[in-house]
Amino acid sequence: MTEFEHGNEEDWEGRPSKSQRKRDMVALQKLGESLIELAPEQLGRLDLHEDLVEAIRFFHTLKDKEAKRRQQQFIGTVMRKIDPVPLREALDELDQLRFQQAEAFHQIEIWRDALVDGDGDVMTELVGRFGLDPQQLRQLAKQAAAEKAAGKPAKNGRALFRLLRQSFEREQAED
């Protein structure tokens, strides 16, 4: 009889099951896939082990689907050598930042559309909030509305959006 058949549980106690170890490896591989999707500058902001950075860079040089799959598995293997908790936290922060940027972008679009539609309350709010020149804002909004009505490209609409975005970013930087 082997030790296992004798039921020597002391050797197995506290050790994760094979299924749990496999789930953990798959989770690390998925975390590696999240890293692969990041832009190089985002990847550079994370404090990653050099082996992992090199494996991710190599992945992006591959063309063959099977080679990419094998490299993803290798990245998962490299991930086992590092603590995934700080990495997950950093990725969560990046996701939160992207979400905030998308919300800000959406809000700026709402302001621009309201200005183009001639909403005087929004005009007053933005002039007060950002200290914008009301004449410049009114002129850009009027020209953007004319472009929209004529079905022309929204050159002034984009200029209005840029002005609002720069003002919003300046406000965020000051806070």
Side-chain angles (χ1 to χ4, degrees):
M1 282 189 151
T2 65
E3 281 185 30
F4 183 71
E5 291 172 336
H6 273 299
N8 188 352
E9 294 178 19
E10 292 173 12
D11 292 340
W12 299 98
E13 210 169 294
R15 191 170 160 199
S17 68
K18 184 176 179 183
S19 298
Q20 183 60 47
R21 289 193 316 261
K22 184 161 183 164
R23 282 191 296 270
D24 292 344
M25 284 189 281
V26 168
L28 286 175
Q29 204 166 337
K30 292 214 179 290
L31 187 59
E33 289 172 18
S34 297
L35 292 173
I36 288 170
E37 294 171 4
L38 294 177
E41 63 274 359
Q42 290 174 319
L43 203 56
R45 282 189 233 141
L46 300 175
D47 186 26
L48 298 177
H49 192 272
E50 187 57 39
D51 291 343
L52 183 57
V53 173
E54 190 175 316
I56 293 169
R57 284 187 187 135
F58 183 67
F59 173 86
H60 290 293
T61 65
L62 300 173
K63 303 287 183 227
D64 183 60
K65 184 178 179 180
E66 181 61 21
K68 284 187 168 201
R69 186 193 64 77
R70 285 191 311 269
Q71 186 64 17
Q72 279 182 310
Q73 285 183 326
F74 176 71
I75 289 169
T77 304
V78 173
M79 298 274 305
R80 289 183 219 155
K81 298 176 187 174
I82 58 176
D83 183 14
V85 174
L87 196 51
R88 280 192 185 105
E89 290 172 355
L91 286 173
D92 288 345
E93 286 177 22
L94 277 175
D95 285 343
Q96 185 64 28
L97 180 63
R98 279 193 291 248
F99 178 74
Q100 290 170 349
Q101 288 172 336
E103 277 187 335
F105 188 87
H106 183 64
Q107 181 59 53
I108 294 167
E109 285 179 326
I110 290 170
W111 288 333
R112 180 205 52 212
D113 293 344
L115 288 171
V116 169
D117 292 340
D119 189 333
D121 293 338
V122 172
M123 172 82 70
T124 305
E125 176 192 343
L126 294 175
V127 167
R129 180 174 177 176
F130 299 129
L132 296 171
D133 177 14
Q135 184 177 356
Q136 179 190 20
L137 206 54
R138 216 175 287 113
Q139 183 180 12
L140 277 173
K142 186 178 179 181
Q143 290 170 342
E147 287 172 345
K148 184 178 176 181
K152 292 184 178 180
K155 177 183 170 188
N156 288 298
R158 286 191 302 276
L160 180 59
F161 183 87
R162 249 188 324 273
L163 176 68
L164 294 172
R165 187 185 71 219
Q166 289 167 352
S167 300
F168 182 80
E169 288 172 352
R170 197 174 316 113
E171 179 187 68
Q172 295 299 308
E174 291 170 2
D175 289 345

PDB file of all heavy atoms in Angstrom, residues 77-91:
ATOM      1  N   THR A  77       3.391  30.913 -17.813  1.00  0.00           N
ATOM      2  CA  THR A  77       4.430  30.247 -17.026  1.00  0.00           C
ATOM      3  C   THR A  77       5.323  31.271 -16.334  1.00  0.00           C
ATOM      4  O   THR A  77       5.655  31.126 -15.162  1.00  0.00           O
ATOM      5  CB  THR A  77       5.283  29.333 -17.937  1.00  0.00           C
ATOM      6  OG1 THR A  77       4.423  28.414 -18.599  1.00  0.00           O
ATOM      7  CG2 THR A  77       6.327  28.582 -17.144  1.00  0.00           C
ATOM      8  N   VAL A  78       5.710  32.305 -17.056  1.00  0.00           N
ATOM      9  CA  VAL A  78       6.541  33.364 -16.472  1.00  0.00           C
ATOM     10  C   VAL A  78       5.782  34.063 -15.343  1.00  0.00           C
ATOM     11  O   VAL A  78       6.360  34.422 -14.319  1.00  0.00           O
ATOM     12  CB  VAL A  78       6.982  34.381 -17.559  1.00  0.00           C
ATOM     13  CG1 VAL A  78       7.691  35.572 -16.951  1.00  0.00           C
ATOM     14  CG2 VAL A  78       7.875  33.708 -18.583  1.00  0.00           C
ATOM     15  N   MET A  79       4.472  34.206 -15.528  1.00  0.00           N
ATOM     16  CA  MET A  79       3.648  34.877 -14.528  1.00  0.00           C
ATOM     17  C   MET A  79       3.645  34.120 -13.196  1.00  0.00           C
ATOM     18  O   MET A  79       3.437  34.713 -12.148  1.00  0.00           O
ATOM     19  CB  MET A  79       2.206  35.016 -15.021  1.00  0.00           C
ATOM     20  CG  MET A  79       2.033  35.841 -16.261  1.00  0.00           C
ATOM     21  SD  MET A  79       1.875  37.571 -15.963  1.00  0.00           S
ATOM     22  CE  MET A  79       0.531  37.644 -14.847  1.00  0.00           C
ATOM     23  N   ARG A  80       3.865  32.800 -13.228  1.00  0.00           N
ATOM     24  CA  ARG A  80       3.875  32.012 -11.991  1.00  0.00           C
ATOM     25  C   ARG A  80       5.012  32.407 -11.065  1.00  0.00           C
ATOM     26  O   ARG A  80       4.953  32.163  -9.874  1.00  0.00           O
ATOM     27  CB  ARG A  80       3.994  30.520 -12.305  1.00  0.00           C
ATOM     28  CG  ARG A  80       2.760  29.948 -12.914  1.00  0.00           C
ATOM     29  CD  ARG A  80       2.923  28.467 -13.131  1.00  0.00           C
ATOM     30  NE  ARG A  80       2.305  28.137 -14.404  1.00  0.00           N
ATOM     31  CZ  ARG A  80       2.609  27.110 -15.155  1.00  0.00           C
ATOM     32  NH1 ARG A  80       3.541  26.271 -14.772  1.00  0.00           N
ATOM     33  NH2 ARG A  80       1.990  26.897 -16.294  1.00  0.00           N
ATOM     34  N   LYS A  81       6.050  33.030 -11.622  1.00  0.00           N
ATOM     35  CA  LYS A  81       7.220  33.405 -10.831  1.00  0.00           C
ATOM     36  C   LYS A  81       7.030  34.734 -10.102  1.00  0.00           C
ATOM     37  O   LYS A  81       7.862  35.098  -9.288  1.00  0.00           O
ATOM     38  CB  LYS A  81       8.447  33.515 -11.736  1.00  0.00           C
ATOM     39  CG  LYS A  81       8.820  32.220 -12.415  1.00  0.00           C
ATOM     40  CD  LYS A  81       9.974  32.443 -13.365  1.00  0.00           C
ATOM     41  CE  LYS A  81      10.247  31.195 -14.185  1.00  0.00           C
ATOM     42  NZ  LYS A  81      11.264  31.440 -15.214  1.00  0.00           N
ATOM     43  N   ILE A  82       5.975  35.455 -10.424  1.00  0.00           N
ATOM     44  CA  ILE A  82       5.781  36.774  -9.823  1.00  0.00           C
ATOM     45  C   ILE A  82       4.467  36.824  -9.055  1.00  0.00           C
ATOM     46  O   ILE A  82       3.571  36.029  -9.285  1.00  0.00           O
ATOM     47  CB  ILE A  82       5.816  37.898 -10.882  1.00  0.00           C
ATOM     48  CG1 ILE A  82       4.744  37.672 -11.941  1.00  0.00           C
ATOM     49  CG2 ILE A  82       7.179  38.006 -11.516  1.00  0.00           C
ATOM     50  CD1 ILE A  82       4.643  38.773 -12.946  1.00  0.00           C
ATOM     51  N   ASP A  83       4.376  37.778  -8.146  1.00  0.00           N
ATOM     52  CA  ASP A  83       3.160  37.961  -7.352  1.00  0.00           C
ATOM     53  C   ASP A  83       2.124  38.680  -8.214  1.00  0.00           C
ATOM     54  O   ASP A  83       2.337  39.823  -8.628  1.00  0.00           O
ATOM     55  CB  ASP A  83       3.482  38.783  -6.104  1.00  0.00           C
ATOM     56  CG  ASP A  83       2.293  38.964  -5.189  1.00  0.00           C
ATOM     57  OD1 ASP A  83       1.287  38.249  -5.374  1.00  0.00           O
ATOM     58  OD2 ASP A  83       2.379  39.813  -4.280  1.00  0.00           O
ATOM     59  N   PRO A  84       0.984  38.037  -8.483  1.00  0.00           N
ATOM     60  CA  PRO A  84      -0.008  38.639  -9.375  1.00  0.00           C
ATOM     61  C   PRO A  84      -0.862  39.737  -8.722  1.00  0.00           C
ATOM     62  O   PRO A  84      -1.491  40.514  -9.422  1.00  0.00           O
ATOM     63  CB  PRO A  84      -0.883  37.447  -9.780  1.00  0.00           C
ATOM     64  CG  PRO A  84      -0.778  36.502  -8.632  1.00  0.00           C
ATOM     65  CD  PRO A  84       0.607  36.682  -8.087  1.00  0.00           C
ATOM     66  N   VAL A  85      -0.877  39.819  -7.401  1.00  0.00           N
ATOM     67  CA  VAL A  85      -1.764  40.770  -6.718  1.00  0.00           C
ATOM     68  C   VAL A  85      -1.456  42.220  -7.104  1.00  0.00           C
ATOM     69  O   VAL A  85      -2.355  42.948  -7.522  1.00  0.00           O
ATOM     70  CB  VAL A  85      -1.735  40.552  -5.188  1.00  0.00           C
ATOM     71  CG1 VAL A  85      -2.532  41.622  -4.473  1.00  0.00           C
ATOM     72  CG2 VAL A  85      -2.255  39.169  -4.850  1.00  0.00           C
ATOM     73  N   PRO A  86      -0.186  42.685  -6.988  1.00  0.00           N
ATOM     74  CA  PRO A  86       0.076  44.075  -7.384  1.00  0.00           C
ATOM     75  C   PRO A  86      -0.206  44.329  -8.872  1.00  0.00           C
ATOM     76  O   PRO A  86      -0.631  45.420  -9.252  1.00  0.00           O
ATOM     77  CB  PRO A  86       1.562  44.290  -7.088  1.00  0.00           C
ATOM     78  CG  PRO A  86       2.023  43.109  -6.334  1.00  0.00           C
ATOM     79  CD  PRO A  86       0.998  42.041  -6.457  1.00  0.00           C
ATOM     80  N   LEU A  87       0.012  43.298  -9.675  1.00  0.00           N
ATOM     81  CA  LEU A  87      -0.232  43.417 -11.105  1.00  0.00           C
ATOM     82  C   LEU A  87      -1.726  43.586 -11.387  1.00  0.00           C
ATOM     83  O   LEU A  87      -2.126  44.440 -12.179  1.00  0.00           O
ATOM     84  CB  LEU A  87       0.307  42.181 -11.814  1.00  0.00           C
ATOM     85  CG  LEU A  87       0.487  42.239 -13.301  1.00  0.00           C
ATOM     86  CD1 LEU A  87       1.281  43.458 -13.714  1.00  0.00           C
ATOM     87  CD2 LEU A  87       1.186  40.991 -13.779  1.00  0.00           C
ATOM     88  N   ARG A  88      -2.547  42.790 -10.716  1.00  0.00           N
ATOM     89  CA  ARG A  88      -4.009  42.926 -10.870  1.00  0.00           C
ATOM     90  C   ARG A  88      -4.473  44.303 -10.413  1.00  0.00           C
ATOM     91  O   ARG A  88      -5.331  44.914 -11.044  1.00  0.00           O
ATOM     92  CB  ARG A  88      -4.723  41.848 -10.068  1.00  0.00           C
ATOM     93  CG  ARG A  88      -4.742  40.515 -10.754  1.00  0.00           C
ATOM     94  CD  ARG A  88      -5.695  39.540 -10.077  1.00  0.00           C
ATOM     95  NE  ARG A  88      -5.592  38.246 -10.706  1.00  0.00           N
ATOM     96  CZ  ARG A  88      -4.966  37.208 -10.174  1.00  0.00           C
ATOM     97  NH1 ARG A  88      -4.424  37.301  -8.983  1.00  0.00           N
ATOM     98  NH2 ARG A  88      -4.908  36.065 -10.824  1.00  0.00           N
ATOM     99  N   GLU A  89      -3.912  44.789  -9.307  1.00  0.00           N
ATOM    100  CA  GLU A  89      -4.280  46.113  -8.805  1.00  0.00           C
ATOM    101  C   GLU A  89      -3.912  47.201  -9.814  1.00  0.00           C
ATOM    102  O   GLU A  89      -4.691  48.120 -10.046  1.00  0.00           O
ATOM    103  CB  GLU A  89      -3.604  46.372  -7.461  1.00  0.00           C
ATOM    104  CG  GLU A  89      -4.156  45.528  -6.334  1.00  0.00           C
ATOM    105  CD  GLU A  89      -3.359  45.632  -5.043  1.00  0.00           C
ATOM    106  OE1 GLU A  89      -2.302  46.305  -5.029  1.00  0.00           O
ATOM    107  OE2 GLU A  89      -3.795  45.025  -4.044  1.00  0.00           O
ATOM    108  N   ALA A  90      -2.724  47.077 -10.409  1.00  0.00           N
ATOM    109  CA  ALA A  90      -2.297  48.067 -11.410  1.00  0.00           C
ATOM    110  C   ALA A  90      -3.204  48.033 -12.632  1.00  0.00           C
ATOM    111  O   ALA A  90      -3.570  49.078 -13.178  1.00  0.00           O
ATOM    112  CB  ALA A  90      -0.842  47.811 -11.806  1.00  0.00           C
ATOM    113  N   LEU A  91      -3.605  46.830 -13.061  1.00  0.00           N
ATOM    114  CA  LEU A  91      -4.509  46.714 -14.210  1.00  0.00           C
ATOM    115  C   LEU A  91      -5.892  47.273 -13.874  1.00  0.00           C
ATOM    116  O   LEU A  91      -6.528  47.905 -14.713  1.00  0.00           O
ATOM    117  CB  LEU A  91      -4.620  45.262 -14.664  1.00  0.00           C
ATOM    118  CG  LEU A  91      -3.415  44.712 -15.410  1.00  0.00           C
ATOM    119  CD1 LEU A  91      -3.570  43.224 -15.665  1.00  0.00           C
ATOM    120  CD2 LEU A  91      -3.177  45.450 -16.706  1.00  0.00           C
TER     121      LEU A  91
END
